[in-house]
Amino acid sequence: MTSNTTVLAVTTASATQRWHDFWRGELGEWVITRGLRIVMVLIAAVLAARFVNWVAQQVTRQLDIGFAESDALVRSEATKHRQAVASVISWVSIVIIGVWVIMQIADILQFSVTGLVAPATVVGAALGFGAQQLVRDLLSGFFILAEKQYGFGDLVTLTVVSATEASGTVENVTLRVTRLRSPDGEVLTIPNGQIVKVVNLSKDWARAVVDIPVSTSADLNQVNEVLHQECERAMDNPVLGDLLLDAPTVMGVESIQVDTVTLRMVARTLPGKQFEVGRQLRFLVIRALARVGIMTAADATVGLVEGPSVAVAQAAEAARATDDAKGAVQPR
């Protein structure tokens, strides 16, 4: 029993001595003086990044709640711009935190950067040529936000350097890229440096343009009267009343063709609501014209297509009946 106790005491003392020697050695001292500081810096960076993301989410959530509780049907320009700026600030803050972590770790490790000045100059020059597009994207993104060209939720059409167009709703704007959601549900990611033209369809207000083609045989005075009546009633419509900023206006004859005359009606609407207003106005105009018996260009085309075919069918039927009659009276 005494022997076992002695062995256990010797083993414990030996382990304690080894543990004590480890922390007094070079590796243990490095862990205490530098390793622990590096761990603390990394923990602080992770917490700071999570805090930045949390603040950005809170800002976005507050903007969404304010938008849902307001009486407006669209986001205000200030709200769209704030949400875009919040996204960019979050992204830039995380980048700054990453750079700070690298600098702090280099300082803790006593890593001298003076010897890297010459190689860094060569590498920087090489990267400068290769990172021209990245710098261009960042500068373009900065000016997009500073000039408030578009923001979160805007309906835009972007023309890129390859002369192609991308249309959709802005889902995210950073200093480097713009992310759109197309009408088909596709997500389009476009570098800001490749955007050469921006068409914002939901900036402050929008305009719905409705062209009404009617037959040249229609009474234009009556057509104008019907259109003016629909313009006066549009503000009282339960659907259009909330989307229109003022009553629609009949601009008059827009174009004249061989068999059709096109009249144009325009209406000022809330941002991004011009397409819905255009569909509603077309429905009301077609119903009003049909009510008074005015034939539209589509009806005239249908009539022109069906007319000759009906006449040909009737002629063929008459010829068939004549041949049958002649065959019946021939002698056997």
Side-chain angles (χ1 to χ4, degrees):
M1 186 66 179
T2 304
S3 176
N4 292 337
T5 304
T6 304
V7 171
L8 180 60
V10 172
T11 303
T12 303
S14 176
T16 304
Q17 185 63 32
R18 285 198 301 269
W19 182 255
H20 183 73
D21 293 341
F22 170 79
W23 288 111
R24 286 186 171 274
E26 294 182 358
L27 181 60
E29 185 178 355
W30 186 91
V31 170
I32 295 175
T33 57
R34 299 181 182 180
L36 188 59
R37 291 175 60 189
I38 292 175
V39 172
M40 296 298 293
V41 168
L42 293 176
I43 293 175
V46 171
L47 293 178
R50 292 179 65 89
F51 176 74
V52 169
N53 287 329
W54 179 81
V55 171
Q57 292 175 1
Q58 292 298 317
V59 171
T60 303
R61 187 177 296 111
Q62 291 298 325
L63 293 175
D64 290 338
I65 293 175
F67 165 66
E69 293 178 352
S70 64
D71 295 331
L73 298 178
V74 295
R75 292 176 182 266
S76 66
E77 295 299 324
T79 300
K80 291 184 288 189
H81 182 67
R82 288 194 198 102
Q83 189 148 352
V85 171
S87 175
V88 171
I89 290 177
S90 173
W91 180 76
V92 172
S93 300
I94 292 177
V95 172
I96 292 175
I97 291 173
V99 173
W100 176 81
V101 168
I102 294 175
M103 293 179 61
Q104 291 296 319
I105 292 178
D107 182 63
I108 293 172
L109 297 177
Q110 296 181 354
F111 183 77
S112 177
V113 296
T114 56
L116 298 177
V117 173
T121 303
V122 178
V123 174
L127 291 178
F129 289 104
Q132 289 181 4
Q133 184 60 46
L134 177 61
V135 176
R136 183 198 228 168
D137 293 341
L138 296 177
L139 289 177
S140 299
F142 171 77
F143 285 112
I144 286 173
L145 293 173
E147 297 172 359
K148 300 182 180 180
Q149 297 180 13
Y150 53 82
F152 182 84
D154 274 333
L155 182 62
V156 298
T157 298
L158 305 179
T159 303
V160 297
V161 292
S162 57
T164 57
E165 293 185 348
S167 300
T169 304
V170 179
E171 284 199 341
N172 193 16
V173 182
T174 66
L175 287 179
R176 195 181 71 85
V177 298
T178 296
R179 187 174 295 113
L180 304 180
R181 175 77 64 174
S182 71
D184 296 331
E186 302 170 339
V187 177
L188 308 177
T189 303
I190 304 171
N192 293 328
Q194 296 186 9
I195 300 173
V196 296
K197 181 181 178 182
V198 177
V199 179
N200 194 333
L201 303 177
S202 57
K203 182 75 171 178
D204 297 328
W205 57 273
R207 174 172 289 167
V209 180
V210 178
D211 289 334
I212 305 103
V214 297
S215 175
T216 52
S217 60
D219 186 357
L220 294 183
N221 291 329
Q222 187 179 13
V223 173
N224 274 320
E225 183 180 353
V226 171
L227 295 181
H228 280 95
Q229 291 176 357
E230 291 302 318
C231 290
E232 294 174 357
R233 298 171 184 168
M235 297 300 294
D236 298 329
N237 187 283
V239 177
L240 292 177
D242 294 332
L243 305 178
L244 292 172
L245 297 178
D246 46 35
T249 305
V250 179
M251 305 300 292
V253 177
E254 179 66 22
S255 63
I256 301 176
Q257 299 178 359
V258 176
D259 55 351
T260 60
V261 176
T262 302
L263 293 89
R264 174 163 292 184
M265 177 190 296
V266 298
R268 209 160 59 99
T269 72
L270 291 173
K273 299 299 179 179
Q274 63 268 34
F275 305 107
E276 183 177 353
V277 170
R279 288 190 291 267
Q280 291 292 333
L281 286 177
R282 291 185 187 94
F283 172 75
L284 295 177
V285 167
I286 292 175
R287 187 176 63 177
L289 292 177
R291 193 183 304 121
V292 297
I294 297 177
M295 184 172 58
T296 62
D299 297 331
T301 304
V302 172
L304 291 174
V305 172
E306 291 182 350
S309 46
V310 173
V312 171
Q314 292 176 350
E317 185 66 26
R320 194 181 302 110
T322 302
D323 292 341
D324 293 341
K326 288 181 179 179
V329 298
Q330 286 180 356
R332 293 178 181 242

